[in-house]
């Protein structure tokens, strides 16, 4: 199993970034896919998730600014991030799990990517 993230970078406050994660080695369409972030010195925390049925869940602070989407044909999950602020800075990880319950933001997921850095300057 492999999850490979891309799309991170440095952006000014108010700007946008689009993260992508390509999955392989598992039946992508049957898995819940999620994004987590880890700020310096802090624990990794839930950002957004999308179920195999397309249902979504977001952390309160990103609602209306971030959009998670999936393309099962390309085995890709994306995270469109708009109106970024410095508090969004961190390493963003892609995650995958077959259990539907993880969409609520559970901490244990079966598979994780290596992460991509997002830095928002003020």
């Amino acid at each position: 199993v492999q999850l490979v993230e891309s799309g991170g970078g440095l952006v000014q406050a108010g700007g946008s970034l689009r993260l992508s994660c390509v999955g392989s080695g598992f039946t992508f369409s049957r898995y819940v896919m999620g994004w987590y972030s880890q700020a310096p010195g802090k624990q990794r925390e839930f950002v957004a998730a999308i179920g195999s049925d397309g249902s979504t869940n977001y952390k309160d602070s990103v609602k209306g600014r971030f959009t998670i989407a999936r393309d099962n044909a390309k085995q890709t999950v994306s995270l469109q991030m708009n109106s970024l602020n410095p508090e969004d800075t961190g390493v963003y990880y892609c995650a995958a799990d077959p259990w539907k319950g993880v969409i609520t933001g559970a901490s244990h997921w079966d598979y994780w990517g290596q992460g991509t850095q997002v830095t928002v300057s003020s």
Side-chain angles (χ1 to χ4, degrees), residues 5-10 17-20 81 116-119:
E5 302 99 333
S6 62
L10 173 63
L17 281 175
R18 182 181 178 87
L19 307 182
S20 293
M81 305 187 294
T116 185
Q117 177 70 47
V118 171
T119 304

Side-chain angles (χ1 to χ4, degrees), residues 5 13 58 80 101 109 122:
E5 302 99 333
Y58 296 91
Q80 177 67 44
W109 290 61
S122 57

Side-chain angles (χ1 to χ4, degrees), residues 11-14 39-40 65 83-90 118-122:
V11 64
Q12 289 189 331
R65 299 190 298 123
S83 302
L84 285 161
N85 58 63
E87 290 70 38
D88 297 317
T89 294
V118 171
T119 304
V120 185
S121 63
S122 57

